[in-house]
Amino acid sequence: MGRASSAGEGQGLSGSRNSMGNMRASLGVSCRAFGRCVAPLSALVLFATATAHGQDKGSLNPEPLPPLAKPDDPHVPAPELFGRKLEPAALESHSIGFYAKGCLAGGVALPLTGRTWQVMRIPRNRNWGHPRLVQFLERLANQAPKTGWHGLLVGDMSQPRGGPMRTGHASHQVGLDADIWLTPMPDRELSREEREEMMSTVVVTEDGKDVDPKVWTPAHVALIKAAAEDPEVARIFVNPAIKKALCRDAGQDRGWLSKVQPWWGHDYHFHVRLNCPPEDPECKPQPPRPANDGCGKELDHWFTGKMQTTSAHFGPSRVRTGPGLSALPAACRQVLQAPSAVTH
């Protein structure tokens, strides 16, 4: 599923001063605000290597997580706490904190099967989000056939109460992120086995320099464009080779390209991130993308040096320890301790 999300999910990394400037801008690091740039090179390398993963198959009968011996121990990592909450909190819907450091109150599930979408890797229980995310996915799914895309195969959204995950993503914590496979939904309902075993199509060549012309189609461009043009979308993360193809294929209508951001992995899915809902004051937005199409120097530096941007360079997801609950916004403790909402 989507395995390359991170706190910044910004642009690439190279040794040049211009590339570092691009990285700082795209990660939203403000030298003016802090008096100095606070994202050291080592931290950006960590983002690149620790948050990109290849595709993982699912499991039809996953083993439930065992109860925590001391769930109130402040040293218990937050991913272990949120990963054991199988239902949303019975609270009003709110996104709390930053995309990679927060939680979700009153999460809503995207139905597993719709006329124009199907949720993949069901036992992961990551088909939850803020109501605005669910509404966006249903809206995009309904648009998909008009773009030449039969329907959406939806990867990871958020856990029922958001928060950090035990495996995979560093972001997807506040119910505003979703991964959409770069494989169209077939014209039938997939079986449970298929939803766990089927792999998405990798559309990037093995060397990572361009998309594979045998699998890349105008419908890929049209679907990503339709997502980017939705006013609630803040940015879309794709592999640099996909951004390169979008720049080449966009034609004269290029305004939507400003929302499309290159990032490691993302060669078999694209990652949509919504803006913070205006009614959620505790949601922390990411600095907006530059207004240009991002098809110049910002993109070029991804193809210099040994960037290793495709999923083939990364292994399967590993269990991450993650921060303690105290590192998250204070309201996340209430989200974690709230009774479960009735979802059946």
Side-chain angles (χ1 to χ4, degrees):
M1 204 78 56
R3 294 297 181 215
S5 308
S6 83
E9 293 224 58
Q11 267 86 359
L13 183 62
S14 79
S16 73
R17 183 175 302 174
N18 287 340
S19 296
M20 280 301 296
N22 289 336
M23 175 68 96
R24 287 165 178 157
S26 59
L27 285 171
V29 177
S30 173
C31 302
R32 181 177 300 173
F34 292 96
R36 59 187 177 89
C37 290
V38 297
L41 184 62
S42 58
L44 301 179
V45 171
L46 178 62
F47 277 140
T49 58
T51 63
H53 306 277
Q55 294 190 67
D56 294 335
K57 288 187 177 181
S59 174
L60 282 171
N61 298 294
E63 291 291 330
L65 294 174
L68 292 169
K70 298 180 179 180
D72 296 326
D73 186 336
H75 297 101
V76 174
E80 299 294 338
L81 299 171
F82 281 94
R84 284 168 169 78
K85 293 296 184 180
L86 305 183
E87 296 178 327
L91 299 169
E92 187 176 346
S93 296
H94 289 292
S95 294
I96 300 166
F98 186 61
Y99 301 96
K101 191 177 182 181
C103 59
L104 172 65
V108 176
L110 177 70
L112 299 179
T113 304
R115 186 177 61 85
T116 51
W117 77 83
Q118 296 183 45
V119 172
M120 306 299 285
R121 307 297 192 258
I122 294 171
R124 288 183 182 171
N125 198 26
R126 294 179 176 179
N127 60 308
W128 298 85
H130 189 282
R132 287 179 177 265
L133 180 63
V134 173
Q135 293 161 10
F136 161 77
L137 289 169
E138 293 179 347
R139 191 163 61 243
L140 181 64
N142 289 333
Q143 282 184 269
K146 301 173 186 176
T147 70
W149 200 263
H150 186 72
L152 306 183
L153 296 179
V154 181
D156 286 354
M157 296 163 57
S158 289
Q159 300 177 123
R161 304 189 188 203
M165 297 178 180
R166 297 179 72 249
T167 59
H169 311 281
S171 62
H172 290 249
Q173 294 192 27
V174 296
L176 298 174
D177 295 277
D179 291 342
I180 299 171
W181 283 22
L182 289 165
T183 300
M185 185 187 84
D187 59 358
R188 60 180 176 83
E189 184 173 340
L190 294 169
S191 68
R192 285 290 306 276
E193 290 82 1
E194 288 174 311
R195 295 197 197 202
E196 302 310 309
E197 297 291 327
M198 177 179 170
M199 304 292 270
S200 182
T201 303
V202 173
V203 301
V204 175
T205 56
E206 196 169 324
D207 62 9
K209 294 182 179 179
D210 211 329
V211 294
D212 184 346
K214 297 191 295 292
V215 296
W216 183 255
T217 69
H220 286 90
V221 180
L223 179 67
I224 296 173
K225 178 182 179 184
E229 289 181 333
D230 192 291
E232 295 212 44
V233 170
R235 63 188 68 206
I236 296 175
F237 301 102
V238 299
N239 186 272
I242 294 176
K243 173 76 180 206
K244 180 179 179 180
L246 295 174
C247 289
R248 183 174 59 228
D249 298 343
Q252 296 301 311
D253 182 9
R254 308 180 68 81
W256 58 277
L257 286 169
S258 63
K259 290 186 181 180
V260 181
Q261 182 166 343
W263 192 249
W264 284 270
H266 294 83
D267 51 6
Y268 61 90
H269 71 275
F270 63 99
H271 171 175
V272 178
R273 173 168 292 170
L274 301 192
N275 292 302
C276 280
E279 67 272 18
D280 288 0
E282 291 191 72
C283 182
K284 305 302 180 187
Q286 193 167 3
R289 291 270 302 151
N292 60 56
D293 63 14
C295 295
K297 292 182 179 179
E298 176 188 358
L299 179 60
D300 291 344
H301 81 277
W302 281 96
F303 300 97
T304 61
K306 298 180 180 179
M307 293 298 291
Q308 297 188 336
T309 61
T310 64
S311 292
H313 295 102
F314 306 103
S317 301
R318 299 177 182 176
V319 175
R320 63 173 76 239
T321 55
L325 184 58
S326 62
L328 302 181
C332 290
R333 185 176 297 276
Q334 179 186 359
V335 169
L336 200 61
Q337 295 174 347
S340 295
V342 177
T343 59
H344 305 290

